[in-house]
């Protein structure tokens, strides 16, 4: 299981974060394995705007929106933005900043899968993706927020930094 070695101190002031919501070819704790291309049709059909960003898969807890969702060679790469006008999103922002929470998890309906009897694995070949949640314990331990966008240095910090270099 991959956990953050240190808190994400550089969380974007605007609540933007990135990570992998799913990894291809790796069995989750329920013995499901998402295959490359499993999300392609769903992403075309729904688009990023129709896939919800939730807290702990709770439909009554939307916490922001997805800016981008795309399959790459590794898995389902996501970039989201917490809505900091929402109290729960501000709490999650603080938890992400401290490294207390960093899991991601997908909510979906299986459209096509095949079972492997000898291994007990279920290969998920086509999924209808509904939502992606920030969670405490993801079913796929490697599905994590792996980078929180670096906040831009504000003007005062830049002036201090420049003055320090010039006058030291």
């Amino acid at each position: 299981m991959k956990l953050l070695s240190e808190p994400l101190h550089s969380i974007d002031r605007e609540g933007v974060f990135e990570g992998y919501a799913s990894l291809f070819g790796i069995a989750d704790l329920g013995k499901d394995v998402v295959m490359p291309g499993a999300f392609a049709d769903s992403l075309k059909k729904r688009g990023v705007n129709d896939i919800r960003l939730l807290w702990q898969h709770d439909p009554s807890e939307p916490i922001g929106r997805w800016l981008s969702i795309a399959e790459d060679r590794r898995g389902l790469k996501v970039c989201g933005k917490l809505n900091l006008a929402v109290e729960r999103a501000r709490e999650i922002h603080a938890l992400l900043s401290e490294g207390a929470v960093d899991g991601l998890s997908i909510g979906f309906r299986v459209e096509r899968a095949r079972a492997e009897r000898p291994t007990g694995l279920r290969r998920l070949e086509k999924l209808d993706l509904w939502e992606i949640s920030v969670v405490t314990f993801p079913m796929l331990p490697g599905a994590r927020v792996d980078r929180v966008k670096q906040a831009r240095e504000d003007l005062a910090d830049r002036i201090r930094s420049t003055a320090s270099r010039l006058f030291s």
Side-chain angles (χ1 to χ4, degrees):
M1 175 177 355
K2 176 192 166 229
L3 297 175
L4 292 174
S5 58
E6 59 186 55
L8 295 166
H9 294 295
S10 62
I11 189 163
D12 185 320
R13 291 182 189 131
E14 297 173 2
V16 176
F17 64 94
E18 295 178 354
Y20 278 89
S22 182
L23 300 172
F24 296 140
I26 299 172
D28 70 12
L29 300 175
K31 294 191 169 189
D32 282 340
V33 179
V34 177
M35 303 306 293
F39 301 104
D41 288 345
S42 184
L43 292 174
K44 279 184 211 164
K45 180 177 79 175
R46 289 186 187 278
V48 70
N49 294 327
D50 286 339
I51 297 169
R52 301 294 171 232
L53 170 52
L54 303 177
W55 170 242
Q56 306 284 10
H57 297 293
D58 186 342
S60 69
E61 296 256 25
I63 55 171
R65 66 187 177 90
W66 293 109
L67 302 175
S68 65
I69 303 172
E71 288 188 345
D72 67 13
R73 292 175 54 154
R74 184 173 178 213
L76 190 65
K77 183 149 182 73
V78 297
C79 179
K81 183 177 186 303
L82 298 172
N83 181 340
L84 299 178
V86 174
E87 182 177 355
R88 175 67 77 200
R90 287 191 305 273
E91 294 169 352
I92 294 161
H93 187 265
L95 292 168
L96 284 167
S97 296
E98 291 299 315
V101 171
D102 69 345
L104 292 171
S105 184
I106 57 176
F108 59 90
R109 182 175 58 84
V110 176
E111 293 188 341
R112 187 175 63 242
R114 62 183 158 81
E116 290 183 356
R117 293 196 189 273
T119 62
L121 296 175
R122 182 172 68 151
R123 303 268 177 194
L124 305 177
E125 297 173 340
K126 186 176 180 184
L127 300 174
D128 183 15
L129 183 65
W130 296 340
E131 58 91 7
I132 303 167
S133 288
V134 175
V135 297
T136 309
F137 301 109
M139 280 293 281
L140 181 60
R144 302 280 174 174
V145 172
D146 59 19
R147 187 166 72 119
V148 180
K149 291 283 202 174
Q150 180 80 329
R152 280 193 218 129
E153 208 176 11
D154 69 11
L155 181 58
D157 289 338
R158 288 191 313 208
I159 291 170
R160 278 190 286 278
S161 175
T162 302
S164 172
R165 284 194 316 267
L166 289 172
F167 301 111
S168 59

